[in-house]
Amino acid sequence: MLPHTFLLQPGIWLGEGKVTFTASPDQLQFYTRWEISPPQAGIIALKQVVEMKEGDTIHNNYILSGLTENSFIIELTNDVLGTVIGKGIIDENKVAWEFRAQESFEGYEVYQLQTNGEYILHAEYASPEQYRTIIDAHLWPKIV
């Protein structure tokens, strides 16, 4: 069994980070909350809320399916993108996924497990015009 509790086990995770853009010198701070539901029929439902410090809020819904010891299929749905499907990988130190050949964007996210059980996120996305968005964050389990 791999040591990952983020995304693969039920619970709530919190995080904070920054978003930067290659087309702008601006850097945006954000906070995030992940709610991971218990698996049902081999599917894990995830809800993510991203709150920008400036006030905008984004709601992402994910479904993980086809879960094996080292891979999964990920489906992302939100109001901006609609639904996109990608492929994920799992190893003892990270959980990651990528969306490729999408009409509106493509990119990847890597969640690197830290020795204290928290995660460091690095993600990069590119639009068809090749504008890049870079996301770096720190995530930790919510203590209940």
Side-chain angles (χ1 to χ4, degrees), residues 35-144:
E35 293 181 28
I36 298 108
S37 298
Q40 292 187 348
I43 293 174
I44 300 173
L46 315 161
K47 291 183 182 181
Q48 180 195 33
V49 177
V50 179
E51 294 180 19
M52 305 307 287
K53 193 172 183 182
E54 292 71 27
D56 291 339
T57 301
I58 300 165
H59 295 269
N60 294 317
N61 292 299
Y62 294 89
I63 294 179
L64 302 184
S65 62
L67 193 61
T68 70
E69 192 169 314
N70 58 12
S71 68
F72 58 91
I73 302 298
I74 187 164
E75 180 179 305
L76 162 63
T77 303
N78 68 30
D79 291 340
V80 175
L81 301 171
T83 299
V84 293
I85 297 174
K87 294 181 181 179
I89 61 166
I90 305 166
D91 72 23
E92 73 178 54
N93 297 313
K94 73 177 172 257
V95 177
W97 60 80
E98 68 178 353
F99 297 105
R100 292 272 177 224
Q102 306 290 329
E103 291 179 21
S104 57
F105 82 115
E106 60 180 39
Y108 67 89
E109 297 188 24
V110 178
Y111 295 81
Q112 189 75 39
L113 178 61
Q114 305 300 294
T115 55
N116 64 0
E118 297 178 357
Y119 286 80
I120 298 296
L121 161 66
H122 179 77
E124 294 189 21
Y125 284 96
S127 67
E129 300 83 19
Q130 292 306 306
Y131 293 117
R132 298 186 75 72
T133 301
I134 300 158
I135 304 164
D136 289 294
H138 168 229
L139 292 100
W140 61 91
K142 180 178 180 185
I143 307 298
V144 260

